[in-house]
């Protein structure tokens, strides 16, 4: 499964909104400037997030966007599903042989579990001092 820039930048928006939760609306231009991203692209991404009820918009000079729910109640999966669609590593797994189908289902379930159990609060409060899993892959 590959997460596109829609999912990555959408998650960036949501993490920044989580960091500012309770402080009022945050303009997308500020997120775009701080993260060196296109404001126009972020505007396109925030629309489905607003339509799904994950964010609220506030108009006016001091307007912007804010989370519609506390960061602890919004999972990374909520954001990815809105922007990317269903979480599945392979299309058409029903047609696969049983061992392969079982593998794809296990991979899908593992990815879903990580995304479902990671809240925006977890991502917003993450520090670089936390140890990484020591996985090293060589190809």
């Amino acid at each position: 499964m590959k997460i596109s820039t829609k999912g990555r930048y959408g998650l960036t928006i949501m993490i920044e909104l989580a960091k500012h939760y309770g402080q009022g609306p945050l303009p997308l231009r500020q997120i775009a400037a701080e993260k060196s991203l296109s404001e126009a692209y972020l505007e396109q991404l925030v629309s489905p997030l607003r339509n799904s009820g994950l964010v609220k918009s506030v108009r006016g000079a001091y307007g912007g966007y804010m989370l519609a729910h506390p960061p602890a109640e919004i999972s990374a999966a909520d954001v990815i599903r809105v922007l990317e669609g269903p979480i599945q590593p392979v299309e058409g797994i029903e047609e696969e042989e049983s061992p392969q189908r079982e593998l794809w289902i296990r991979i899908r379930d593992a990815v879903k579990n990580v995304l479902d159990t990671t809240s925006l609060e977890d991502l917003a409060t993450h520090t670089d001092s936390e140890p990484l899993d020591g996985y090293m892959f060589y190809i």
Side-chain angles (χ1 to χ4, degrees):
M1 176 180 162
K2 186 172 182 178
I3 305 290
S4 71
T5 56
K6 284 181 3 181
R8 290 174 43 222
Y9 291 178
L11 207 49
T12 298
I13 293 168
M14 297 297 282
I15 292 168
E16 290 305 307
L17 294 178
K19 288 178 181 178
H20 290 86
Y21 185 73
Q23 300 173 20
L26 181 65
L28 285 185
R29 100 179 79 71
Q30 182 177 335
I31 297 172
E34 289 174 1
K35 301 295 180 180
S36 301
L37 302 173
S38 163
E39 183 180 350
Y41 189 48
L42 297 186
E43 284 286 352
Q44 291 175 17
L45 298 178
V46 81
S47 180
L49 294 170
R50 187 183 66 246
N51 292 339
S52 69
L54 294 178
V55 299
K56 297 188 285 191
S57 61
V58 176
R59 294 179 180 258
Y62 298 102
Y65 293 90
M66 52 192 189
L67 295 179
H69 308 281
E73 294 178 12
I74 302 173
S75 71
D78 295 332
V79 178
I80 297 300
R81 283 187 186 104
V82 166
L83 297 172
E84 300 279 354
I87 298 166
Q88 54 188 20
V90 177
E91 296 283 332
I93 61 173
E94 305 82 25
E95 299 162 13
E96 296 280 347
E97 297 288 326
S98 182
Q100 292 149 306
R101 184 175 52 245
E102 179 64 28
L103 174 64
W104 302 135
I105 290 171
R106 288 174 48 204
I107 291 170
R108 179 201 63 202
D109 291 347
V111 170
K112 283 171 104 173
N113 182 51
V114 170
L115 293 173
D116 282 334
T117 60
T118 304
S119 71
L120 289 181
E121 183 176 64
D122 297 332
L123 296 170
T125 59
H126 176 79
T127 62
D128 288 334
S129 63
E130 295 176 18
L132 297 173
D133 292 339
Y135 294 113
M136 179 64 71
F137 296 97
Y138 296 95
I139 299 176

